Amino acid sequence: MDNVRLVEVGPRDGLQNEKRPLSVADRVQMIEGLIEAGLTTIEAGSVVSPKWVPQMEGSTEVLSSVGHREGITLQMLVPNFRGFEAARDAGAEEIAIFASASESFSQKNINCSIAESFDRFLPVMEGARNAGMRVRGYVSCVLGCPYEGPVALSSVVAVASRLHAFGCYEVSLGDTIGIGTPRAAATMVRAVAAEIPVSSIALHEHNTYGQALANILACLEEGVSVFDSSVGGLGGCPYAKGATGNVATEELVFMLDGMGIKTGVDLPKLARVAVETAAKLGRDPVSPISRILAAS
């Protein structure tokens, strides 16, 4: 495989668990820096209640401020039809919906069962079709749940397949608590790929136990070519105690560059975004690569 596509989730999944919210202006600057570094698919934010996720307040303003860019996809995560309408009115061209492979996590995260979550998706999918918007699907807890522990592979396959059947052009398989290991990740991807095209599968790895890059490599060898990552290793999950950040985009780019796989990302520019964003959050980037490259 010569090329992969990275989905930068830092401005949404990366920031939603940080104690210090960034202003709309700071988030716009962050996204501008990511675009300048060569990233072309970016989660700009999510339309959720600021009561529950205050870090995402003003996401529609962020999207409107960045505006349409040729060749750039700015994605908005929406939990329901009201969120879809707000994203549409702000100019979103792509939205994302999220489901869980774990019943317990579904209840804790979005206060409904897996079946009920799909009922909520119906009007969103219809609205997106009418508006000519693409929809990306997320599946959480594909390799383990903070409440249930192991998650049945059959549940992962069922949820991913249903999202694809609903019309999601791509389904991102999320190791929400970062508990997976390479063989388990590859087995999971293989099972999902038996039901939907591997070209429609993405991987979303958290690095809680330091396994993210190893898992990505294992799934790359299974034919997956789309990977979610977060600049500076920002992130976590507010509903999964102890879950650390997403795999750092700069670490992933460094690995792929070393393998001769093209990402189109300028690593020093990306490192500067990581360092600048972390400073605004009052913390250091998770990845030492960022500090090394940003100083060079």
Side-chain angles (χ1 to χ4, degrees):
M1 187 176 297
D2 297 325
N3 296 274
V4 303
R5 180 165 62 87
L6 302 184
V7 178
E8 173 57 54
V9 300
R12 195 280 299 178
D13 196 26
L15 295 179
Q16 72 172 6
N17 206 35
E18 292 293 322
K19 293 180 179 179
R20 181 187 297 181
L22 290 188
S23 67
V24 167
D26 282 340
R27 281 181 276 163
V28 169
Q29 185 176 19
M30 179 185 184
I31 293 170
E32 296 277 8
L34 292 168
I35 293 172
E36 176 65 23
L39 288 150
T40 58
T41 306
I42 302 169
E43 268 195 329
S46 60
V47 189
V48 293
S49 170
K51 175 183 177 182
W52 299 112
V53 191
Q55 298 89 338
M56 290 294 99
E57 186 170 11
S59 284
T60 54
E61 295 174 57
V62 171
L63 182 65
S64 299
S65 296
V66 177
H68 174 74
R69 306 291 180 88
E70 191 68 34
I72 304 297
T73 298
L74 298 178
Q75 182 191 102
M76 291 288 281
L77 190 71
V78 303
N80 49 39
F81 188 69
R82 175 185 285 185
F84 157 73
E85 290 182 311
R88 179 198 61 197
D89 294 346
E93 297 176 340
E94 180 171 317
I95 58 170
I97 57 177
F98 51 96
S100 177
S102 158
E103 285 289 355
S104 298
F105 191 82
S106 185
Q107 291 287 355
K108 294 280 187 178
N109 190 27
I110 54 178
N111 198 33
C112 70
S113 68
I114 295 173
E116 289 169 335
S117 70
F118 276 92
D119 290 339
R120 294 181 184 180
F121 298 154
L122 285 170
V124 174
M125 297 302 297
E126 183 179 0
R129 280 192 295 271
N130 291 337
M133 297 164 65
R134 298 206 305 170
V135 183
R136 192 175 195 246
Y138 283 97
V139 186
S140 59
C141 299
V142 298
L143 291 169
C145 170
Y147 308 108
E148 293 182 11
V151 173
L153 188 55
S154 58
S155 180
V156 178
V157 173
V159 173
S161 299
R162 195 169 181 194
L163 284 170
H164 187 258
F166 259 43
C168 292
Y169 77 92
E170 190 168 88
V171 179
S172 179
L173 304 172
D175 184 7
T176 307
I177 56 175
I179 202 169
T181 52
R183 187 169 293 174
T187 298
M188 180 270 299
V189 162
R190 204 175 303 126
V192 175
E195 298 296 327
I196 69 176
V198 71
S199 59
S200 296
I201 295 175
L203 193 69
H204 183 109
E205 280 288 335
H206 286 226
N207 203 35
T208 311
Y209 292 94
Q211 299 296 296
L213 288 178
N215 293 348
I216 287 171
L217 179 58
C219 294
L220 185 69
E221 292 173 346
E222 292 294 328
V224 177
S225 62
V226 182
F227 300 97
D228 299 356
S229 59
S230 178
V231 63
L234 296 172
C237 176
Y239 299 98
K241 187 177 181 180
T244 57
N246 297 274
V247 63
T249 307
E250 54 273 27
E251 289 189 351
L252 178 54
V253 171
F254 182 84
M255 182 184 82
L256 294 170
D257 281 353
M259 295 171 65
I261 298 174
K262 297 176 183 177
T263 62
V265 177
D266 184 307
L267 197 48
K269 288 182 179 179
L270 179 64
R272 285 193 286 274
V273 177
V275 170
E276 290 167 3
T277 303
K280 292 174 183 177
L281 292 166
R283 54 170 287 180
D284 290 327
V286 171
S287 171
I289 291 177
S290 299
R291 296 191 293 274
I292 294 168
L293 291 175
S296 63

